[in-house]
């Protein structure tokens, strides 16, 4: 095994001083001639030298990395959120570390407990549960910059960015009433998330005598399929549906169509999220517009020194599924 290549070897090959090579490789290139910086980078490539990321982080007190903790990356909305953060941070020369907690507060607690400030500069977290996520996030916020995204946890003082869920429900209900729909079924998840709690509470406050709520285990396509089966078993007077996730709406729409039901003639279907699913479903899903890009912009602004909570205004996007 040959001798380990070091910073001195890089400086020698590039024909520069060790301090100059160090400034280039640490990202601090002020007062460094661009030609010299190029020679240093070329020398690194020729010698196969790799910067010790941990040592660099200790020197400059920054890793240029952020962590994003999501409950389920398989959910189309969270997948789009990850993609939006990745694109934005890449433009800034930063990296994104993504952690999937599987909607489990226990997994979330283990992952957040192992989060080391030396690994990331800040943590963006979508809490797995409103009641059970608070302690772990509060503990993390003692030593890390933390922003809650899309959801909140009870008792956490860290800033948050979220959709105005009550206003979103109101938009969907008013839209369906304007279309002449009289009996609305809300399909939500039983998960203990702030978004589910807020949406269900808002719907119950607006609900008429013929409206009802159906709670499924989670925000998945399978839950949407099961919801359609339950609806067909006990249809009542239902003529409109609000799904609290596009994934659920896709499963429900597909199952109803396979059962020979016409959308929107028999059932008008609406949803939250506004992901790619809403555009590709047939007919297209009437949804609240995607908030992923706005979530990213607002949360990164909070990390740059903002404070408090940011509540995003929902926007209704009407497509064929509601007539």
């Amino acid at each position: 095994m040959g001798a380990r290549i070091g910073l001195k070897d890089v400086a020698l090959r590039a024909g520069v001083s060790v301090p100059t090579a160090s400034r280039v490789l640490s990202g601090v290139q002020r007062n460094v001639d661009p030609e010299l910086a190029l020679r240093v980078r070329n020398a690194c490539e020729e010698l196969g030298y790799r910067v010790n990321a941990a040592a660099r982080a200790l020197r400059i007190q920054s890793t240029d990395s952020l962590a994003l903790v999501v409950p389920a990356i398989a959910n189309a909305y969270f997948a789009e959120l990850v993609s939006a953060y990745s694109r934005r941070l890449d433009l800034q020369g930063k990296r994104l570390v993504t952690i999937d907690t599987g909607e489990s507060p226990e997994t979330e607690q283990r992952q957040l407990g192992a989060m080391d400030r030396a690994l990331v500069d800040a943590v963006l977290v979508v809490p797995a549960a409103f009641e059970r996520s608070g302690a772990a996030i509060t503990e993390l916020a003692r030593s890390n910059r933390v922003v809650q995204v899309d959801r909140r946890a009870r008792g956490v003082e860290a800033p948050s960015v979220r959709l105005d869920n009550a206003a979103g429900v109101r938009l969907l209900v008013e839209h369906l009433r304007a279309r002449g729909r009289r009996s609305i079924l809300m399909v939500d998840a039983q998960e203990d998330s702030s978004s589910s709690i807020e949406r269900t509470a808002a719907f119950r406050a607006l609900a008429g005598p013929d409206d009802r709520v159906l709670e499924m285990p989670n925000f998945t396509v399978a839950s949407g399929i099961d919801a359609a089966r339950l609806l067909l078993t006990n249809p009542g007077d239902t003529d409109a549906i609000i799904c609290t996730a596009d994934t659920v709406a896709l499963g429900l729409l597909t199952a109803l169509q396979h059962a020979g039901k016409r959308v929107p003639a028999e059932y008008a279907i609406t949803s939250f999220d506004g992901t790619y699913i809403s555009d590709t479903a047939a007919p297209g899903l009437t949804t609240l517009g995607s908030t992923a890009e706005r979530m990213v912009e607002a949360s990164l602004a909070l990390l740059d020194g903002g404070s408090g909570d940011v509540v995003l205004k929902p926007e209704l996007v009407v497509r064929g599924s509601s007539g």
Side-chain angles (χ1 to χ4, degrees), residues 3-46:
R4 180 178 177 181
I5 302 298
L7 186 60
K8 290 182 179 180
D9 301 299
V10 172
L12 182 62
R13 174 65 68 93
V16 301
S17 68
V18 171
T20 296
S22 177
R23 286 199 299 275
V24 172
L25 298 180
S26 67
V28 182
Q29 297 188 31
R30 293 187 301 273
N31 302 321
V32 177
D33 186 285
E35 182 182 347
L36 297 183
L38 178 61
R39 280 159 49 183
V40 170
R41 289 192 288 271
N42 288 340
C44 287
E45 185 174 346
E46 293 168 6

Side-chain angles (χ1 to χ4, degrees), residues 74-309:
N75 183 308
Y77 177 73
F78 294 130
E80 291 197 358
L81 197 61
V82 170
S83 179
Y85 274 114
S86 295
R87 291 194 303 271
R88 181 67 65 89
L89 293 175
D90 183 62
L91 291 175
Q92 298 177 4
K94 297 181 179 180
R95 295 175 293 277
L96 183 69
V97 177
T98 305
I99 297 172
D100 187 337
T101 63
E103 296 283 6
S104 166
E106 291 76 23
T107 300
E108 179 183 67
Q109 183 178 23
R110 288 194 300 272
Q111 293 289 346
L112 295 183
M115 195 73 67
D116 192 319
R117 192 183 180 94
L119 299 178
V120 295
D121 295 331
V123 182
L124 304 150
V125 57
V126 183
F130 180 63
E131 295 291 348
R132 294 191 286 160
S133 293
I137 298 174
T138 296
E139 182 61 29
L140 178 69
R142 297 183 195 280
S143 57
N144 292 75
R145 289 185 294 160
V146 175
V147 173
Q148 300 176 93
V149 179
D150 185 59
R151 301 177 179 179
R152 296 176 296 161
R154 184 190 293 278
V156 177
E157 295 184 2
S160 68
V161 180
R162 67 187 189 281
L163 179 69
D164 187 337
N165 286 298
V169 170
R170 190 179 308 111
L171 278 177
L172 294 174
V173 170
E174 290 175 351
H175 168 72
L176 291 170
R177 298 291 191 217
R179 293 295 192 275
R181 307 292 170 156
R182 300 185 181 278
S183 181
I184 303 174
L185 172 69
M186 169 175 269
V187 181
D188 199 6
Q190 295 170 339
E191 297 170 348
D192 172 32
S193 70
S194 62
S195 54
S196 285
I197 293 169
E198 292 166 2
R199 292 170 189 178
T200 301
F203 181 74
R204 292 189 189 280
L206 296 170
D210 296 325
D211 299 331
R212 53 184 172 143
V213 175
L214 177 60
E215 291 189 335
M216 303 306 296
N218 47 46
F219 296 111
T220 62
V221 172
S223 283
I225 294 172
D226 290 341
R229 290 171 181 161
L230 291 172
L231 171 61
L232 294 174
T233 300
N234 180 25
D237 295 323
T238 297
D239 58 3
I241 304 163
I242 296 175
C243 295
T244 54
D246 283 352
T247 46
V248 175
L250 177 62
L252 184 138
L253 170 64
T254 302
L256 288 179
Q257 290 175 327
H258 284 175
K261 301 300 179 181
R262 293 171 297 150
V263 176
E266 294 177 83
Y267 295 104
I269 299 177
T270 62
S271 180
F272 277 72
D273 295 348
T275 66
Y276 69 90
I277 290 174
S278 59
D279 281 324
T280 56
L285 287 172
T286 292
T287 69
L288 298 182
S290 175
T291 59
E293 294 291 346
R294 289 191 290 157
M295 288 273 184
V296 170
E297 182 177 357
S299 60
L300 294 182
L302 286 173
L303 286 178
D304 283 340
S307 61
D309 296 326

Side-chain angles (χ1 to χ4, degrees), residues 42-66:
N42 288 340
C44 287
E45 185 174 346
E46 293 168 6
L47 296 173
Y49 177 78
R50 295 292 179 266
V51 177
N52 186 320
R56 176 181 180 272
L58 288 173
R59 286 196 306 273
I60 67 173
Q61 295 296 297
S62 174
T63 65
D64 286 334
S65 299
L66 275 70

